[in-house]
Amino acid sequence: MDQFDYIIVGAGTAGCLLANRLSADARVLLLEAGGKDDYIWVHIPMGYLYCIGNPRTDWGFRTRAEPGLGGRSLGYPRGRVLGGCSSINGMIYMRGQAADYDGWAQMGCTGWGWDDVLPLFKRHEDYFGGADAAHGAGGEWRVEKQRLSWPVLDDFARAAEAEGIPQVEDFNTGDNEGVSYFKVNQRGGWRWNASKGFLRPVRGRDTLRVLTGAQSEGVIIDEGRAVGVRYRKDGALHEARARAEVILCAGAIGTPQLLQLSGIGPGALLQQMEIPVQREAPVGDNLQDHLQIRCAYKVQGTKTLNTMANSLLGKARIGLEYVLKRSGPMSMAPSQLGAFARSSPDVATADLEYHVQPLSLDAFGEPLHDFDAITASVCPLRPESRGHVRITSPDPADHPEIAPNYLSTEGDRRVAARAIRLTRRIMAAEPMAPYSPEEFRPGPDVETDDDLAAAAGRIGTTIFHPVGTARMGADPGSVVDPQLRVRGVAGLRVADASVMPTITSGNTNAPTLMIAEKAAELIAGRR
């Protein structure tokens, strides 16, 4: 089976869905550089702690030193396993706002407005509350309530309401302003990833071949047409041919890297790397990401995960609750309570997202603090800053340069300062008074807008939402057209988060699934 109708590169969130859809009536090869999702920590929700930074499940990327973050380089997790980022992410189901997609349509991306994409979200959804005008039921993608609550988070929600952020039940109706516990991609207390949802049910099809441990090294282009893929498996280089299309689903880092290695990208960069230029295009530009500003407060009179998990007995209790009930801290998404708010009255829709957690630590992967605390991470949702992804050599094994350029505009620094001020107002509201909250990040001595923006750079980190590096558009300067076809190269399409013209107002996994669903529809219509 060296010749197929379609070759899909990347068995992550998008690739699993596309393989499901296309193999229903065509021969499909799905290539995944990582391994199978048979690692227990992929499936236990809190297992992300053991998957991020683990070469078994994570590419292990890092950003370059970021000027806006005081010269820090950040770990930049991306899934390297069946299911991709859906196997290691925060499991939060978040579509974004109707205005995000209507904005894409207004840019010329016909067919991508909210009314166009809502049916695509619903098509694969299995919502715990059943089907209605906003949700689907019976699809492959399970959405459930979280199996826990925390009194201190309940009171944070009431404090947010006191500051004008309404309590809501559902963030996914097109307007996500409000405060609520996040809905999550879990089933009965287990992580629900794209491999379980879309790939496992169709693995018996004789039209689908899935290769793990197969790292794609380049798209084969013959006279302006993509005709196959070169990939390395077990140390040997192989080629597979596609009669119809090659579809890249390698994500906002992997897709631009592969396009550039294939000779599609900035001409000067390709010439520098001595890669023959097949098509000059701004591949790798337009990188956007959400910076999370990790404000943290000591609290009194309540238990948080910091002290619940600081002893062997506490850890044993947490483990026993999960074994017996599939609930408690081991069933937690990394962030439990969410809130969407406006940074100022002149903003049309919510431009801040909170991820609130009953814990604190110095950095991801570090031990929890030995005192009770909560973290109110706040993300400016519509960053002006733009970065890039660029290969650093012609060797596919070498990681690309990742430069998000966080806080590189005055507008982003202004919104960051406003975000910290709003967090302080929430924490000072009456419902939080019983906890005597004491700010220790960024610290109460930071007061001016300039100092607050600088502090945001000191305590900020990625929340793992890179998008935009193979921008979709109607203009000739875009990388792909609104049908997701790579401009200037026939038979080549991109279907992942890299095509987003602008980042969505929230977590990006659900929109990535929608993009793959749209791609399947476009390809079916072409056939």
Side-chain angles (χ1 to χ4, degrees):
M1 289 181 66
D2 291 324
Q3 192 161 72
F4 302 83
D5 297 312
Y6 298 95
I7 299 175
I8 301 170
V9 177
T13 299
C16 286
L17 185 149
L18 261 179
N20 176 298
R21 299 294 188 256
L22 297 184
S23 65
D25 58 2
R27 296 179 70 193
V28 175
L29 173 64
L30 178 62
L31 298 172
E32 169 55 43
K36 296 179 180 178
D37 59 330
D38 54 1
Y39 185 40
I40 185 61
W41 292 115
V42 166
H43 306 290
I44 295 173
M46 191 175 264
Y48 67 90
L49 291 169
Y50 304 98
C51 292
I52 290 177
N54 183 342
R56 178 171 180 171
T57 49
D58 181 4
W59 280 97
F61 295 128
R62 296 196 67 84
T63 71
R64 72 172 186 185
E66 279 289 295
L69 305 187
R72 289 184 295 132
S73 169
L74 302 180
Y76 219 62
R78 297 284 89 196
R80 188 175 185 267
V81 61
L82 287 181
C85 289
S86 74
S87 294
I88 69 171
N89 70 359
M91 296 164 283
I92 292 171
Y93 183 74
M94 187 64 58
R95 298 170 177 171
Q97 299 171 5
D100 299 331
Y101 304 100
D102 289 340
W104 294 2
Q106 289 163 13
M107 294 176 192
C109 296
T110 303
W112 290 89
W114 175 250
D115 290 342
D116 302 306
V117 303
L118 178 58
L120 301 174
F121 282 113
K122 294 169 65 176
R123 183 174 299 166
H124 53 252
E125 188 179 16
D126 185 21
Y127 192 66
F128 73 98
D132 58 23
H135 294 285
E140 299 94 341
W141 197 235
R142 183 65 177 170
V143 181
E144 293 187 350
K145 288 184 174 181
Q146 294 188 67
R147 301 165 72 88
L148 53 82
S149 64
W150 294 78
V152 69
L153 299 187
D154 296 338
D155 286 324
F156 184 98
R158 285 188 276 272
E161 187 175 22
E163 287 301 307
I165 304 170
Q167 295 212 29
V168 297
E169 171 57 28
D170 189 357
F171 286 134
N172 288 297
T173 61
D175 178 4
N176 55 16
E177 186 169 0
V179 59
S180 182
Y181 280 92
F182 289 119
K183 304 299 189 302
V184 292
N185 297 122
Q186 293 182 10
R187 184 182 289 279
W190 297 97
R191 175 190 290 273
W192 194 250
N193 68 353
S195 175
K196 288 179 183 174
F198 298 99
L199 206 54
R200 292 187 188 181
V202 299
R203 285 298 296 270
R205 287 178 179 168
D206 58 10
T207 53
L208 174 63
R209 186 178 184 190
V210 180
L211 289 183
T212 55
Q215 181 166 348
S216 298
E217 297 198 349
V219 178
I220 302 168
I221 300 173
D222 184 12
E223 296 184 351
R225 181 175 184 85
V227 296
V229 174
R230 290 186 301 275
Y231 65 94
R232 190 169 297 277
K233 182 172 171 61
D234 300 326
L237 191 62
H238 303 266
E239 289 188 2
R241 297 282 168 155
R243 284 184 287 263
E245 291 188 11
V246 173
I247 308 163
L248 303 186
C249 299
I253 308 303
T255 285
Q257 179 186 23
L258 191 59
L259 285 169
Q260 291 170 6
L261 289 170
S262 306
I264 304 167
L269 173 67
L270 300 181
Q271 290 165 9
Q272 178 187 344
M273 299 297 165
E274 299 183 345
I275 296 173
V277 178
Q278 299 283 350
R279 168 72 175 175
E280 186 160 359
V283 171
D285 292 347
N286 195 47
L287 174 62
Q288 300 158 58
D289 189 16
H290 288 143
L291 181 72
Q292 60 165 334
I293 304 167
R294 294 182 59 84
C295 303
Y297 290 77
K298 295 180 181 179
V299 292
Q300 308 294 326
T302 188
K303 285 287 187 184
T304 64
L305 194 59
N306 286 11
T307 52
M308 287 178 66
N310 69 356
S311 68
L312 288 176
L313 181 59
K315 290 182 173 70
R317 286 173 174 165
I318 289 170
L320 186 62
E321 180 179 0
Y322 185 74
V323 168
L324 295 177
K325 301 180 181 179
R326 296 289 181 267
S327 62
M330 286 188 71
S331 73
M332 283 170 47
S335 300
Q336 300 80 51
L337 186 75
F340 290 82
R342 307 183 196 203
S343 63
S344 73
D346 59 353
V347 175
T349 61
D351 64 337
L352 300 175
E353 178 182 8
Y354 281 89
H355 296 77
V356 192
Q357 308 143 354
L359 55 86
S360 65
L361 39 75
D362 287 332
F364 184 85
E366 295 294 316
L368 297 171
H369 293 139
D370 61 2
F371 50 81
D372 284 307
I374 70 169
T375 300
S377 291
V378 56
C379 299
L381 288 174
R382 291 190 280 277
E384 298 172 347
S385 299
R386 297 292 185 269
H388 65 256
V389 174
R390 293 175 185 158
I391 55 172
T392 55
S393 87
D395 186 347
D398 290 342
H399 287 181
E401 178 184 76
I402 302 170
N405 286 334
Y406 298 114
L407 299 173
S408 60
T409 73
E410 180 57 37
D412 284 355
R413 292 188 289 272
R414 181 172 58 251
V415 174
R418 290 173 176 173
I420 296 173
R421 292 192 189 282
L422 176 58
T423 307
R424 287 174 169 174
R425 293 198 299 273
I426 293 171
M427 294 302 294
E430 189 277 331
M432 293 301 295
Y435 304 104
S436 303
E438 178 186 346
E439 179 183 330
F440 67 96
R441 278 191 177 171
D445 55 325
V446 182
E447 295 182 352
T448 69
D449 282 354
D450 287 344
D451 288 346
L452 286 169
R458 290 194 299 272
I459 64 176
T461 186
T462 178
I463 204 162
F464 322 128
H465 297 165
V467 308
T469 49
R471 177 179 68 86
M472 171 176 60
D475 59 292
S478 57
V479 177
V480 303
D481 67 16
Q483 287 73 48
L484 304 180
R485 300 171 297 196
V486 175
R487 292 187 180 277
V489 182
L492 183 59
R493 211 180 290 250
V494 176
D496 59 31
S498 68
V499 306
M500 294 188 192
T502 53
I503 195 166
T504 53
S505 300
N507 310 72
T508 52
N509 189 252
T512 300
L513 275 179
M514 180 277 294
I515 290 167
E517 194 78 83
K518 179 75 168 181
E521 186 176 81
L522 291 168
I523 293 166
R526 182 177 176 83
R527 288 207 305 271

